[in-house]
Amino acid sequence: MFFAKGGVFLDITVIFDNILHWISTSGVKLVFGLIGLWIGWKAVNKGLKTLNTLLKKQNIDLTLVSFFHAFADIALKVLLVIVFMGFVGIPTAGFAALLASAGLAVGLALQGSLSNFAGGVIILLLRPVQVGNYIETSSYQGTVEKIGIFYSHLVTADNREILIPNGALANGSLINYSSKPLRRVDLTFSVGYNDDILKVKTILNKIIDNNPLILKDPEPFVAVSEHAASSINFIVRAWCDTENYWIIYFDLLETVKIEFDNNNISIPYPQMDLHMQKSE
């Protein structure tokens, strides 16, 4: 059957046959492809949810779990779309090239953010710092409260929150005061040249022995460290559990001053003698 319209003849039978052919070939693929895409999408969500539950039961860091979930979710779903396009006959070479070009453009625009992202991956994998550690960077120090994908949250001693880019944290120098179970308190105390240094040493050792937070092993150390210009300096080194460091530090400063005063041990301080000569 032919219909004429504007000088153009259309064969309805041919068109109908073409439609039936498309439905029986590409149409079936499209339907099965959409069904497969939907099932795969649901499977990815279900699988990642189950994996998250298992990882949390293993006491794995929550930051690492959330980071892995976000990365795997995007990667697996992009892979599903590419497989679907290939199944239904859509050329994926152009799509891959477009995706690569878009990735390059985004990468150039977000160099700083990608550096922070890479820094976050390094921190999460190598674990130079962990949540709860007290650290010192080139500019700040405080307790690590959270390690995010782009920024780490640091809380200072006066309860200020500082966001440090992960790129700077991973590539810069830092001191981790919490990574070891034990720390050593190092203090220097000065006494006068007229004081009995054996008596001073006995007093310092007694103060250390009476402090229950100071460990006996490793053994504490007390000795004369320097004959200074106006004083004899004693070095005191005492080991303790890391969490007790500041308690012992301030307690020793206070107790030594009290005991020196009770035993008439002088603590020298800088003095200047001024001699005036009367001119004729």
Side-chain angles (χ1 to χ4, degrees):
M1 183 182 295
F2 294 91
F3 289 91
K5 185 177 181 180
V8 178
F9 291 92
L10 300 177
D11 189 341
I12 299 301
T13 305
V14 172
I15 295 176
F16 185 72
D17 289 342
N18 289 336
I19 292 175
L20 288 177
H21 178 72
W22 181 86
I23 291 175
S24 62
T25 55
S26 299
V28 173
K29 282 188 175 182
L30 179 62
V31 172
F32 280 103
L34 289 173
I35 294 174
L37 181 63
W38 180 81
I39 294 174
W41 205 276
K42 292 291 185 180
V44 167
N45 291 335
K46 181 68 175 178
L48 289 178
K49 185 177 180 180
T50 303
L51 183 60
N52 278 358
T53 304
L54 293 175
L55 292 176
K56 289 177 181 178
K57 289 182 179 179
Q58 297 298 322
N59 295 324
I60 297 177
D61 190 280
L62 293 178
T63 305
L64 181 59
V65 173
S66 61
F67 171 81
F68 175 78
H69 180 275
F71 181 80
D73 185 60
I74 294 173
L76 291 175
K77 287 179 178 177
V78 169
L79 181 61
L80 271 177
V81 172
I82 294 176
V83 171
F84 165 76
M85 293 174 63
F87 179 78
V88 299
I90 300 175
T92 57
F95 177 76
L98 179 63
L99 192 64
S101 300
L104 178 61
V106 172
L108 291 174
L110 300 175
Q111 289 184 14
S113 297
L114 290 177
S115 174
N116 293 335
F117 175 79
V121 173
I122 292 173
I123 292 173
L124 290 170
L125 293 179
L126 301 183
R127 299 297 179 126
V129 298
Q130 299 184 36
V131 173
N133 288 166
Y134 189 89
I135 66 171
E136 179 181 352
T137 66
S138 57
S139 304
Y140 306 102
Q141 57 178 297
T143 303
V144 179
E145 184 181 52
K146 176 184 176 183
I147 300 175
I149 295 179
F150 296 105
Y151 292 91
S152 292
H153 299 244
L154 206 66
V155 178
T156 62
D158 56 353
N159 207 34
R160 291 179 298 157
E161 185 176 29
I162 300 172
L163 270 65
I164 301 178
N166 285 336
L169 193 61
N171 297 316
S173 300
L174 63 86
I175 302 173
N176 191 334
Y177 293 101
S178 304
S179 60
K180 300 297 183 181
L182 301 182
R183 283 191 64 188
R184 192 180 71 188
V185 180
D186 290 358
L187 289 171
T188 300
F189 298 101
S190 301
V191 300
Y193 270 93
N194 295 325
D195 293 304
D196 185 348
I197 63 171
L198 295 179
K199 181 180 179 181
V200 172
K201 190 172 182 179
T202 300
I203 292 172
L204 292 175
N205 279 316
K206 183 179 178 181
I207 292 172
I208 292 174
D209 290 339
N210 290 337
N211 193 315
L213 297 179
I214 294 178
L215 302 176
K216 306 302 180 184
D217 184 22
E219 186 179 358
F221 178 78
V222 177
V224 174
S225 63
E226 183 184 12
H227 290 188
S230 59
S231 65
I232 298 292
N233 295 337
F234 280 82
I235 183 73
V236 173
R237 294 174 176 172
W239 288 89
C240 65
D241 294 331
T242 298
E243 61 269 19
N244 296 328
Y245 177 87
W246 289 112
I247 298 174
I248 293 174
Y249 181 91
F250 293 118
D251 182 73
L252 286 178
L253 289 177
E254 179 180 339
T255 306
V256 168
K257 178 61 170 71
I258 293 173
E259 291 299 318
F260 278 7
D261 289 345
N262 292 338
N263 290 275
N264 297 318
I265 303 296
S266 62
I267 299 179
Y269 52 88
Q271 300 184 54
M272 179 180 293
D273 293 332
L274 183 62
H275 301 275
M276 300 182 66
Q277 184 177 358
K278 184 178 180 181
S279 60
E280 297 292 338

